Amino acid sequence: MAWKGIGIFDSGVGGLTVLKEIMKTLPQEDTIYFGDSARFPYGTKSPDTIVRYSHEIAAFLSHRDIKLLVVACNTASAMALESLKQQYDMPIVGVIEPGARRAVTVTRTGRVGVIGTEGTIRSGAYTKAIKRMNPEVEVLTRACPLFVPLAEEGWVDNDVARLTANRYLQGLKEEGVDTLVLGCTHYPLLKGIISEVMGEGVTLVDSAEETARTVAEILRGRALLRPSAERGNHHYFVTDVPAGFIRIGNRLFGGKLGDVFQVSLDDPELAGRGAVHEES
Ligand code: DGL
C-alpha cells in the first residue's frame, strides 16, 4: 500500500522546528518539507504576496500527493490559512491556533506576551485567537524582526543575539508577562537566549509541540496514520542554494538532515524533476 506523506512549509529553516516535533510524535510518517528560501523573509511582505506564495507552495506539495498540509510559518498561517482551506479538501493545520491554545492553558496570571514577525503581529492573529479562547487574557505583542536573520545565520547564542533579545524583550519583561509565545517558527532556535533574558518565571510557548499533537489527532481521527512499526522518509525542497539550510538543519537535528533538493516553483507540475540534488 502506498502511504501518503505530510507536507510542511515555511519561508526557510524555521518550520524545521515544527518538523522536528512531528517526527518525534509520528516517527512512522513520511514528510516533505518546503523552505521558500529564495523569497525569504515572509515577515515583512504584504498579505497578498504571502497568500500567493502559500498557494504556489501548496500546489507544489499537493502534486506530491500529501494527505495533510502543515503551514509551519506563523506569517503564512496568519495571512493565508483561510484561503488555503477554501481551496483544498485535505486537512490544513496552521501554527497559530495550537500556540494560542497552549498559552491560554499555561498562563497563571492571564498576562501573555506574543512575539513574531511584523506581518504576524500586525495581523493581530494571536490576539484574536487567544481572546476567542479566553477573553480575560491580556495579550501584549512585540515584533522582533531581527530574530529571523539571526536564526538563519545560526547566530543563536552569541553577544549579538543577547543584545538584540534584551532590546526587544525588556518591555515585555517589565510589563510582567508570565507566558511568552514564540510566534514565529524561527524563534525556537533562539530559545536559550530568549529564556535567559525573560528569566525563569516566564514560560515560553513554542507552538511546534502542540501543532504536532494536532496533526496526530487529525490523522488518527481520519484513520490516516501509518502503522506505528513503520519508519518515515523525509525529503526537503528549497528554492535557493541549500547550503545554509543544510547547515542549520544538521545542527537542529544533530546529524544528517537527508536529501535536500533545490527547485523552482515556476511550474508546480514540473518543479522537482531535474532538481539540483545536494547531499547534506
Ligand atoms: N518562520 C516564519 C514565521 O513563523 C517567518 C520568517 C520570515 O520569513 O520572516 O513567521
Side-chain angles (χ1 to χ4, degrees):
M1 172 153 192
W3 295 95
K4 293 181 174 189
I6 299 171
I8 300 162
F9 81 86
D10 179 42
S11 58
V13 299
L16 291 175
T17 60
V18 180
L19 172 68
K20 190 176 175 187
E21 286 304 323
I22 291 175
M23 284 163 63
K24 214 192 286 172
T25 310
L26 299 170
Q28 70 269 40
E29 297 297 332
D30 288 342
T31 65
I32 308 176
Y33 183 93
F34 193 99
D36 196 4
S37 42
R39 301 190 292 192
F40 161 89
Y42 278 14
T44 50
K45 296 196 167 75
S46 71
D48 283 354
T49 301
I50 300 304
V51 168
R52 177 161 54 84
Y53 289 178
S54 300
H55 276 278
E56 287 171 9
I57 297 169
F60 175 91
L61 290 170
S62 70
H63 278 104
R64 275 157 185 81
D65 225 13
I66 53 173
K67 58 185 170 187
L68 180 146
L69 177 65
V70 181
V71 183
C73 171
N74 288 264
T75 312
S77 296
M79 296 173 178
L81 190 65
E82 287 318 310
S83 156
L84 290 172
K85 280 183 172 172
Q86 276 164 24
Q87 169 132 2
Y88 291 94
D89 286 336
M90 69 180 150
I92 304 183
V93 178
V95 283
I96 290 182
E97 288 280 325
R101 194 163 49 237
R102 181 120 197 99
V104 168
T105 312
V106 302
T107 181
R108 301 171 309 276
T109 62
R111 277 176 88 71
V112 171
V114 177
I115 54 174
T117 64
E118 281 160 2
T120 300
I121 296 303
R122 209 178 318 115
S123 77
Y126 269 103
T127 310
K128 282 180 219 148
I130 291 172
K131 291 276 186 197
R132 209 183 314 120
M133 292 167 195
N134 183 349
E136 308 278 292
V137 172
E138 220 177 315
V139 187
L140 297 105
T141 60
R142 177 78 156 110
C144 305
L146 290 177
F147 281 170
V148 173
L150 284 173
E152 291 272 336
E153 189 59 32
W155 285 18
V156 293
D157 54 7
N158 63 13
D159 289 353
V160 181
R162 189 166 293 105
L163 269 174
T164 311
N166 261 314
R167 189 71 177 255
Y168 278 145
L169 303 175
Q170 210 50 48
L172 286 173
K173 199 176 162 182
E174 282 162 15
E175 295 273 5
V177 300
D178 80 330
T179 303
L180 182 67
V181 180
L182 308 181
C184 170
T185 53
H186 280 72
Y187 296 0
L189 296 164
L190 289 135
K191 217 179 201 165
I193 289 272
I194 295 174
S195 130
E196 193 183 302
V197 171
M198 292 307 289
E200 271 179 16
V202 176
T203 309
L204 301 188
V205 169
D206 159 359
S207 47
E209 271 175 42
E210 198 70 15
T211 302
R213 234 192 313 267
T214 306
V215 168
E217 266 166 33
I218 294 174
L219 293 180
R220 193 168 299 115
R222 298 185 182 215
L224 289 174
L225 281 178
R226 288 179 83 182
S228 54
E230 303 277 327
R231 278 299 160 265
N233 291 306
H234 308 286
H235 292 96
Y236 304 86
F237 294 90
V238 290
T239 48
D240 206 341
V241 279
F245 180 87
I246 292 170
R247 181 169 41 83
I248 306 223
N250 284 346
R251 169 142 22 101
L252 182 68
F253 286 92
K256 294 272 176 204
L257 195 58
D259 292 340
V260 181
F261 301 90
Q262 185 180 343
V263 290
S264 154
L265 278 180
D266 292 343
D267 180 352
E269 296 239 26
L270 298 175
R273 299 184 201 155
V276 177
H277 178 204
E278 300 241 344
E279 289 294 337
S280 60

